[in-house]
Amino acid sequence: MTENFPHLVKEMDLQVQEARRTPNKRNPKRTTPRYIIIKMPRAKDKERILKAARERKSVTYKKVPIRLSADFSTETLQARREWQEIFKVMNTKNLQPRLLYPAKLSFRTEGQIKSFTDKEKLKEFITTKPGLYEMLKGIL
């Protein structure tokens, strides 16, 4: 962390809850490359590190380039899957949908960005917008 993000280490009290290496899935006897899984007690720390990694574009570990990726819990993955059908329809209609962390749908309508954490709130919103209602009536 200090090698790649010295400013983040100074700003926040970074605590790693657990770190472990997993074997290569294709050949478990092979020593490299292996994934390193790091669990952090606070999701905001993970978000800040991933954001900094995206901005930096190149992250290294012992001077070897590595890739950082977010790992979601099964609950989060399930919640994100529930938005997929709505996401696809909105994408075809060019509403610029986004799935925000952890499972929040965001899209652009009438020049504004609207965000919803669950389908009920989205359903309430689209009843006031006839165009959106027609587009999503079969899904919601």
Side-chain angles (χ1 to χ4, degrees):
M1 294 302 299
T2 55
E3 178 182 341
N4 293 293
F5 313 110
H7 62 283
L8 279 181
V9 173
K10 290 176 186 173
E11 286 178 22
M12 60 185 182
D13 178 28
L14 187 65
Q15 298 173 347
V16 176
Q17 184 176 340
E18 176 186 348
R20 59 188 168 91
R21 295 185 87 171
T22 60
N24 189 329
K25 289 181 181 177
R26 294 185 189 137
N27 186 357
K29 294 181 181 178
R30 189 173 179 190
T31 58
T32 57
R34 293 191 294 180
Y35 297 99
I36 300 173
I37 298 173
I38 300 172
K39 288 186 181 181
M40 297 186 175
R42 293 184 300 264
K44 288 191 180 216
D45 290 349
K46 178 172 70 173
E47 290 173 12
R48 289 182 67 189
I49 290 168
L50 290 172
K51 183 179 178 184
R54 280 192 296 270
E55 290 171 356
R56 190 158 189 249
K57 300 213 182 341
S58 176
V59 180
T60 59
Y61 175 69
K62 294 183 179 177
K63 304 207 190 303
V64 176
I66 61 170
R67 184 178 63 200
L68 297 179
S69 60
D71 186 27
F72 299 117
S73 68
T74 54
E75 296 86 18
T76 303
L77 288 174
Q78 179 61 34
R80 290 173 78 89
R81 268 188 226 110
E82 290 174 6
W83 286 114
Q84 285 304 314
E85 196 172 344
I86 296 168
F87 182 89
K88 288 176 186 175
V89 170
M90 288 182 166
N91 207 18
T92 59
K93 301 296 182 183
N94 202 22
L95 292 174
Q96 300 174 347
R98 301 281 183 261
L99 277 176
L100 306 174
Y101 181 82
K104 187 177 183 182
L105 179 71
S106 169
F107 62 93
R108 185 179 299 270
T109 181
E110 299 172 355
Q112 295 180 339
I113 297 174
K114 298 289 182 182
S115 298
F116 300 94
T117 54
D118 60 17
K119 289 184 177 181
E120 290 303 316
K121 290 181 182 176
L122 176 62
K123 200 173 198 176
E124 290 172 15
F125 175 75
I126 66 169
T127 55
T128 63
K129 309 288 182 191
L132 282 174
Y133 183 76
E134 285 298 314
M135 184 188 336
L136 299 172
K137 70 179 177 184
I139 300 171
L140 289 174

